Amino acid sequence: MKIKERERDGVVILEVSGKIMGGPDSELFTNTLKTLVHQGKKRVVVDLGGVSWVNSTGLGILISGYSTLKRSNGEMKLVNVSDRIDSIFMVTKLYSVFDSYKSEDEAIASFAVE
Amino acid sequence: MKIKERERDGVVILEVSGKIMGGPDSELFTNTLKTLVHQGKKRVVVDLGGVSWVNSTGLGILISGYSTLKRSNGEMKLVNVSDRIDSIFMVTKLYSVFDSYKSEDEAIASFAVE
Amino acid sequence: MKIELSFPSSHMFLGIPDVVIQELGSELPFTQTELDELSTSVIEGCTNALEHGNKMVDEVPVRLEIEFDPTRIEITIFDQGEGFDFESIDFSQAPTDLMQERGRGIYIMHTYCDELSFFRQNGSFAVRMVKIPRSRAKDGDGGDADAIARED
Amino acid sequence: MKIELSFPSSHMFLGIPDVVIQELGSELPFTQTELDELSTSVIEGCTNALEHGNKMVDEVPVRLEIEFDPTRIEITIFDQGEGFDFESIDFSQAPTDLMQERGRGIYIMHTYCDELSFFRQNGSFAVRMVKIPRSRAKDGDGGDADAIARED
Ligand SMILES: Nc1ncnc2c1ncn2[C@@H]1O[C@H](COP(=O)(O)OP(=O)(O)O)[C@@H](O)[C@H]1O
Ligand SMILES: Nc1ncnc2c1ncn2[C@@H]1O[C@H](COP(=O)(O)OP(=O)(O)O)[C@@H](O)[C@H]1O
């Protein structure tokens, strides 16, 4: 798992690539989100476009990141979810937890209307 | 190895995809070229854009196709040669046998000036 | 026909069974969705084997036997651990607490595969999963699939 | 660390060692060019093993041992054949007749790899190839490469 961070319209975009699979990945993702919360940056879009696969431990990493933000009244949105990952969200019913959008624009816009 | 055939400006374009590696591939490629020669179609562009790799047996297949056309006063040009394949052409000095072009347009144009 | 694979018990190598299955499956009459489901299941099985079975000891390998023909792929994953009390678990239930961070691996394998079983053999613990293609006519590029289908 | 792989002696499976090496290499400090060179060499070795060694008998496996650390990948390919008189061959020469259709496999392995050797062992014939990355700093995305580099 690799994370590239940038900002747009007051929203942090985390471009994730590689595999999301536990091991060292857990800390990397959670620490990134904790740092953002600490800096007062609580609107985060996670771009999964470069992710080849997620396993169930990786789902846990996403849930943990989601919870970290939620606890601080922040929000995590997902974008560019592949068919393979979408299928795991369906099977585990996590699609009802994660807000996922087709494009970065839509994800960013979704913060404005809240 | 899969081959998709089409024609443009009197030139046959063979879009090859998969792996070029001997076994059943040898006959498929040679037979395709023999049929073309038989039909009087002797200007052929082989598009390697969809090819993941070529092994030395695959090089033999390309050489055999090249020879088949040459013997009938036809010509075979290559297009979309990846870095990986280009490296094998360098190492085996086959770059001096095969004419390779950056784009289909250039490959087709090269027939006109001869 | 059979492919065998073994790799060290580290997350770093979980991409390897994935690419092997994707590559093998591209020569068999499976759809991309079916391959993704099998591949995800195998990654779950390997994750459990290296975490729970081999306790992340690099030197202890995770071992895969992949048996296949055009009508099925059957994969058995071996680890060197004690296993667990699988008879008492209902695989068909996902965690009801959606915010729970773990405990979805076996449920995912069970949902994605046509057969799932656990057993012990010669001091190893094993999970076996079977995937059967819904249709033997592969959408789009059935070239190689046809080639192997003719063999039997 | 070590990965082992075996597959049936049919051209259909030559994509499998390729994807394994590409995936493994993405976690080690090799450039894409170096991985392509190693991968092409391994495919040459496996092609010879299944054609000349195992004479295309499906049931006889081609077997690979892949040993690696961040400073090298060493791959040994075993077949069940008699081998050939490798001492009498000059690997450093490509066919001078460029139109010759075969006979480039060993030359390609020799050119692309840092070490190449043949040997017999327990009734098997084997070719071993070693690839060493030119630079341990991988261009662009050295994240995982760093992770493994820190281990030793
Ligand atoms: N190969 C194995 N060896 C030992 N225990 C296992 C193995 N596979 C699964 N288990 C046990 O079954 C439990 C449930 O597994 P799973 O559904 O994959 O969730 P998770 O691994 O996230 O806990 C594990 O926590 C573990 O106790
Ligand atoms: N594993 C092997 N077992 C037996 N003979 C081999 C093996 N590898 C190579 N050879 C012999 O060496 C020759 C040269 O091999 P190579 O350079 O790969 O060219 P090619 O396979 O196209 O003939 C082969 O023709 C074969 O006689």
Side-chain angles (χ1 to χ4, degrees):
Chain A
M1 181 195 216
K2 279 159 206 155
I3 303 180
K4 250 169 78 181
E5 187 180 325
R6 58 186 170 83
E7 260 184 81
R8 222 188 100 189
D9 305 336
V11 174
V12 175
I13 321 285
L14 298 179
E15 289 176 13
V16 181
S17 59
K19 304 139 195 163
I20 310 186
M21 60 174 177
D25 292 350
S26 318
E27 279 188 43
L28 177 61
F29 193 68
T30 313
N31 288 345
T32 303
L33 288 187
K34 283 192 180 148
T35 307
L36 289 176
V37 167
H38 193 76
Q39 296 168 339
K41 299 175 181 169
K42 297 174 182 172
R43 297 179 152 193
V44 178
V45 171
V46 178
D47 182 342
L48 299 178
V51 174
S52 49
W53 51 259
V54 176
N55 65 2
S56 65
T57 331
L59 291 178
I61 293 173
L62 293 177
I63 293 170
S64 140
Y66 177 90
S67 304
T68 300
L69 283 169
K70 205 77 185 170
R71 271 197 305 275
S72 319
N73 297 312
E75 260 194 292
M76 181 177 109
K77 316 258 176 171
L78 301 181
V79 74
N80 289 325
V81 176
S82 68
D83 287 352
R84 179 166 174 172
I85 298 174
D86 200 46
S87 164
I88 304 182
F89 287 169
M90 292 303 284
V91 155
T92 56
K93 305 204 169 46
L94 285 170
Y95 65 86
S96 63
V97 171
F98 298 134
D99 280 336
S100 105
Y101 296 85
K102 287 215 183 62
S103 69
E104 192 178 303
D105 288 347
E106 283 180 50
I108 290 177
S110 74
F111 285 111
V113 297
E114 277 155 20
Chain B
M1 180 195 216
K2 279 158 205 153
I3 303 180
K4 249 170 78 181
E5 188 179 323
R6 58 186 170 81
E7 258 183 82
R8 223 188 101 189
D9 306 336
V11 175
V12 174
I13 321 284
L14 298 180
E15 289 176 14
V16 181
S17 60
K19 304 141 196 162
I20 310 185
M21 60 175 177
D25 292 349
S26 318
E27 280 188 42
L28 177 61
F29 193 69
T30 313
N31 288 346
T32 303
L33 288 187
K34 282 191 180 145
T35 307
L36 290 176
V37 166
H38 194 75
Q39 296 168 340
K41 298 174 182 169
K42 296 175 182 171
R43 296 177 154 194
V44 178
V45 171
V46 178
D47 182 342
L48 298 178
V51 174
S52 49
W53 50 259
V54 176
N55 65 3
S56 65
T57 331
L59 291 178
I61 293 173
L62 293 176
I63 293 169
S64 139
Y66 176 90
S67 304
T68 299
L69 282 169
K70 205 77 186 171
R71 270 196 305 275
S72 319
N73 296 315
E75 259 194 291
M76 179 177 111
K77 316 258 175 171
L78 301 180
V79 73
N80 288 326
V81 176
S82 69
D83 287 351
R84 180 167 174 170
I85 298 174
D86 199 46
S87 164
I88 305 183
F89 287 170
M90 291 302 285
V91 155
T92 55
K93 305 204 168 46
L94 285 169
Y95 66 86
S96 62
V97 172
F98 298 134
D99 280 334
S100 107
Y101 296 84
K102 287 216 183 61
S103 69
E104 191 177 303
D105 288 348
E106 283 180 50
I108 290 178
S110 74
F111 285 110
V113 296
E114 275 155 22
Chain C
M1 287 201 275
K2 191 170 177 177
I3 290 173
E4 293 190 87
L5 172 69
S6 75
F7 58 88
S9 290
S10 159
H11 290 98
M12 189 192 297
F13 305 111
L14 283 172
I16 291 178
D18 179 61
V19 296
V20 168
I21 289 154
Q22 296 286 342
E23 171 62 26
L24 170 64
S26 75
E27 303 283 339
L28 297 170
F30 285 77
T31 63
Q32 187 57 51
T33 303
E34 289 165 341
L35 285 181
D36 287 346
E37 290 173 353
L38 178 59
S39 209
T40 297
S41 302
V42 170
I43 291 170
E44 291 304 328
C46 291
T47 305
N48 283 345
L50 69 88
E51 288 182 357
H52 305 302
N54 295 342
K55 311 226 180 301
M56 308 287 299
V57 181
D58 262 10
E59 293 74 37
V60 183
V62 175
R63 207 167 64 71
L64 273 79
E65 285 183 15
I66 306 172
E67 291 178 277
F68 57 94
D69 63 38
T71 70
R72 66 195 271 125
I73 300 183
E74 183 172 323
I75 299 180
T76 313
I77 302 164
F78 297 90
D79 65 55
Q80 305 302 312
E82 305 280 291
F84 66 108
D85 184 15
F86 52 88
E87 278 97 350
S88 68
I89 294 182
D90 178 2
F91 303 152
S92 65
Q93 296 302 318
T96 43
D97 173 8
L98 288 179
M99 301 313 286
Q100 192 178 312
E101 290 177 26
R102 300 211 48 145
R104 292 180 179 85
I106 296 178
Y107 168 74
I108 289 176
M109 293 186 250
H110 178 267
T111 308
Y112 276 159
C113 292
D114 294 288
E115 289 172 36
L116 182 72
S117 55
F118 296 88
F119 60 96
R120 290 181 176 82
Q121 184 181 293
N122 304 332
S124 295
F125 184 71
V127 55
R128 173 172 296 158
M129 46 196 82
V130 176
K131 188 81 182 169
I132 296 168
R134 285 295 142 261
S135 147
R136 294 187 49 182
K138 200 164 116 193
D139 37 356
D141 55 355
D144 291 327
D146 286 342
I148 194 178
R150 272 197 303 274
E151 277 180 18
D152 59 358
Chain D
M1 288 202 277
K2 192 170 176 177
I3 291 173
E4 294 189 84
L5 172 70
S6 75
F7 59 89
S9 291
S10 159
H11 289 99
M12 189 193 296
F13 305 111
L14 283 174
I16 291 179
D18 179 60
V19 296
V20 168
I21 289 155
Q22 296 285 341
E23 172 61 26
L24 171 64
S26 75
E27 302 283 340
L28 296 170
F30 284 78
T31 63
Q32 187 57 52
T33 303
E34 289 166 341
L35 285 181
D36 287 348
E37 291 174 353
L38 178 59
S39 210
T40 298
S41 301
V42 169
I43 290 168
E44 292 303 329
C46 290
T47 306
N48 283 345
L50 71 87
E51 289 181 356
H52 305 302
N54 296 342
K55 311 225 179 301
M56 308 288 299
V57 181
D58 262 10
E59 292 76 35
V60 183
V62 174
R63 206 167 66 71
L64 274 78
E65 285 184 14
I66 307 172
E67 290 178 278
F68 56 94
D69 63 37
T71 69
R72 65 196 271 126
I73 300 182
E74 182 171 324
I75 299 180
T76 313
I77 303 165
F78 297 90
D79 65 55
Q80 305 300 314
E82 305 281 291
F84 66 107
D85 184 15
F86 51 88
E87 279 96 351
S88 68
I89 293 181
D90 179 3
F91 302 151
S92 66
Q93 297 302 319
T96 43
D97 174 8
L98 288 179
M99 301 313 286
Q100 191 178 312
E101 290 177 25
R102 299 210 50 143
R104 291 180 179 85
I106 296 178
Y107 169 74
I108 288 175
M109 292 186 251
H110 178 266
T111 308
Y112 276 160
C113 292
D114 294 287
E115 290 173 35
L116 182 73
S117 55
F118 295 89
F119 60 97
R120 290 180 175 83
Q121 184 182 292
N122 305 330
S124 296
F125 184 71
V127 55
R128 173 173 294 156
M129 46 196 82
V130 177
K131 188 81 181 169
I132 295 168
R134 285 293 142 260
S135 145
R136 296 186 47 181
K138 200 164 115 190
D139 37 355
D141 54 355
D144 291 326
D146 286 343
I148 193 180
R150 269 198 304 275
E151 276 179 19
D152 61 356

